[in-house]
Structure formats: structure tokens, C-alpha cells
Amino acid sequence: MKNLIVLAIAAMPLLAHAAANDNDTVVIKNPKKVTVITGDSIQKIIVKGKEDNDNYEYTNTILLVDSNYVSNTEINKDTWSLRSVLPSVNVNSNKRNSHGEVILGGMPLIGFSAPTHTASGTDFSTFSSWEIAVPFLACNYYFDKKKHAGFSLNMYLDWRNYRMTGDMRFVKNEKGCVELAPYPEGAKPKFSRIKVFSISSALLFDTYFGKKWGLSLGPVVNFNTYASIKTRYRKDGGKFKDVDKHINQRKVTFDMMGIIFTPEVDLYLKYSPNDVLKDGVKFRSLTFGICL
């Protein structure tokens, strides 16, 4: 093991003079620490620190599988980014096809809901309403090896919450539709909300301008598999909670989504031309926030 470490350290000056046009060459000047881990089926090289950046870290892992190998390389960002703390796994091991990749995970979306085309009497509270979209699969195809432009297919588990905090609440009528009604006499409202769970698929065109700036735009299909209403209020010193499911939400809705990529935090906006519910209270979904 000591011999391998010494060999790796001795090889670092050679890396600094490697040919710049070699796509598989990584040049690291003046590394602070080099660690080589070798086992029966794995070899891992960790380089910490480089010239003018003590926080730099490079990791290269090779898994030996029969006569083949799977290689995975990770290089941290020179500047801190929120998305750097959330892992994703690249499952594409075909190095010959550098235009495409398949990733488990991706960029979660966290934002707020600001419904549009709202029915009379609704009083949605934007910053008390939220959206969380958790990605579980991303398929990317790039037009060039430098990944300046391409298409991506992203799959999400999506929760959207539309909350009112005023004097009206959501109730489910005998036909299974949602309508507005006042709270019981003497009640002190806390909130009344509609929540929708979806499995979403986004087909996006991605383009990057350099310096980590870029733009993504495309349609989203939502398969809305679950929805419910919940109301909380106080009355006569007690706490009350009313919950109803099967509220006749639209099973399939469409969004248009745009993402602006920046060096630090990516911003997104989604708008749906469809009403969230088939019948009853009318409103459409508009959400905005950040991509981690």
C-alpha cells in the first residue's frame, strides 16, 4: 500500500505536463494530499487540495467486474453550491457514448404555489403554500461533447399544497366535489388546504452559455394519483381537524416549466393551463422556487 501511495505522489508532476487535448486527462497542480486505496475489486484515488484551492477534491473510482470495469469520477466545485450537498448517481458506464447519460436522482425543486384564475371567495396564501418535487431519474442527451446544449427527460415525485388562511375553508360536498364554506360559528381558523401528489415527467431543452449560466425549457406531464383537503381550526378551547380524500382532482395535467441556471442557485417557474380540480372550486397551478 505504501508503495502505491509513493508511486501516485511521484506521478503527480507528470500529470501537470499531460496533453491538454486528452479528454481522459486531469491536470492537478501542487496537490496537498494523495490517497490510493486498492482492493480485490476496487481501486480508488483521492486527491485533496490543489494550487490556489485547498478545498479542492478529486475522486476516481474503478470497480473491477469480471474482465470489464466501471469508472466513476467526481470533482467538487471551486465555489460552494446548494446542489453540491445532494448526491446523484450516474449509472451510464458506456464511455464511448459521451453524448448521453442516465442519472439516478437529480435536482430537487422546492418552491411556493401562487394559484391563478382563482374562483371568487378563495384567499390563497402564497408563502404558506408550497411545492416539493423529488427527482428519481434523469436521461440526458447532448448535441456536443462539451455539453453546451441537449435534451433531458426528468422524472419526479411531486407534492403541491394550496393553502388558504382566511375566513373560508374547503369542504367536500355530497357529489365528491370541493366547494367553499364558512367555518363553524365561533371557530378561529388556522388553515384550509388542498394537497395533490403527482408522478411527473419533464421533457426539457437545455442550453448553457458558459460560466455555469444556462436555460432549460419544456413541457411537463403530471399524473395526479392522489389529492386531499385538510382544515384545522380552534373552537371552544379545542383543536379540530377535518380531512377528506378523493376530491375529484384532474388525473392528468400539463405544465410549462422554465429553469434559469446560475453559478449559485438555479431558479424555476411552472405554470399549468389546466384547472387543478375537475369540478367545484376553480384555480390553476403556478409554482416557483429554486432547484437544489
Side-chain angles (χ1 to χ4, degrees):
M1 181 65 68
K2 292 181 178 179
N3 292 335
L4 287 173
I5 297 175
V6 172
L7 179 61
I9 295 173
M12 297 313 298
L14 297 178
L15 289 175
H17 296 86
N21 60 353
D22 187 345
N23 291 331
D24 294 327
T25 299
V26 177
V27 179
I28 305 174
K29 294 183 178 181
N30 298 327
K32 305 300 181 183
K33 181 180 179 181
V34 179
T35 304
V36 179
I37 303 172
T38 302
D40 294 337
S41 60
I42 187 174
Q43 183 180 76
K44 187 172 185 178
I45 300 174
I46 303 173
V47 180
K48 294 188 176 181
K50 69 173 184 177
E51 188 175 67
D52 299 326
N53 187 356
D54 292 339
N55 295 322
Y56 178 86
E57 182 171 327
Y58 168 88
T59 302
N60 182 275
T61 303
I62 298 177
L63 301 177
L64 304 177
V65 183
D66 296 331
S67 60
N68 301 315
Y69 70 90
V70 177
S71 178
N72 181 52
T73 300
E74 296 178 1
I75 302 177
N76 74 323
K77 298 182 181 296
D78 289 337
T79 57
W80 183 85
S81 173
L82 284 173
R83 72 178 72 94
S84 65
V85 303
L86 296 168
S88 61
V89 180
N90 191 330
V91 298
N92 178 36
S93 60
N94 185 2
K95 293 297 182 180
R96 295 181 180 179
N97 182 16
S98 59
H99 290 275
E101 61 184 3
V102 178
I103 298 174
L104 299 180
M107 296 188 302
L109 310 179
I110 298 180
F112 299 102
S113 301
T116 65
H117 296 78
T118 56
S120 176
T122 56
D123 182 23
F124 290 103
S125 178
T126 297
F127 294 103
S128 295
S129 306
W130 45 261
E131 176 184 36
I132 297 177
V134 179
F136 60 90
L137 180 66
C139 303
N140 303 320
Y141 180 81
Y142 303 100
F143 299 142
D144 60 292
K145 291 184 178 181
K146 293 185 178 181
K147 302 181 180 180
H148 288 154
F151 286 98
S152 62
L153 178 64
N154 304 272
M155 304 295 295
Y156 296 90
L157 301 178
D158 187 285
W159 291 264
R160 297 190 219 196
N161 182 303
Y162 310 96
R163 179 180 293 207
M164 297 193 305
T165 56
D167 296 330
M168 302 296 288
R169 59 174 175 158
F170 297 114
V171 295
K172 180 180 175 181
N173 62 24
E174 296 178 353
K175 296 181 179 180
C177 299
V178 176
E179 59 184 22
L180 298 176
Y183 283 85
E185 185 176 355
K188 295 182 178 180
K190 185 175 183 182
F191 69 83
S192 185
R193 65 97 176 118
I194 292 176
K195 180 174 69 176
V196 180
F197 170 76
S198 311
I199 300 174
S200 302
S201 176
L203 179 62
L204 305 176
F205 171 74
D206 308 311
T207 182
Y208 298 90
F209 313 123
K211 301 291 184 180
K212 301 177 184 177
W213 290 89
L215 180 66
S216 185
L217 183 67
V220 182
V221 180
N222 307 296
F223 299 95
N224 306 309
T225 62
Y226 173 86
S228 66
I229 57 176
K230 178 191 288 187
T231 300
R232 288 184 179 272
Y233 59 93
R234 292 176 178 269
K235 183 181 177 183
D236 299 330
K239 297 180 180 180
F240 294 84
K241 179 178 71 172
D242 298 330
V243 177
D244 275 301
K245 303 176 183 178
H246 309 293
I247 59 174
N248 205 21
Q249 78 277 11
R250 288 190 180 275
K251 300 300 183 182
V252 180
T253 54
F254 298 89
D255 300 332
M256 282 299 298
M257 180 163 71
I259 302 175
I260 298 177
F261 301 107
T262 76
E264 298 299 334
V265 179
D266 301 334
L267 307 175
Y268 82 91
L269 175 70
K270 286 198 296 183
Y271 172 72
S272 174
N274 308 123
D275 291 321
V276 174
L277 305 176
K278 289 182 180 180
D279 300 298
V281 178
K282 298 293 184 182
F283 64 95
R284 298 178 184 178
S285 177
L286 172 68
T287 58
F288 62 93
I290 62 174
C291 308
L292 297 183

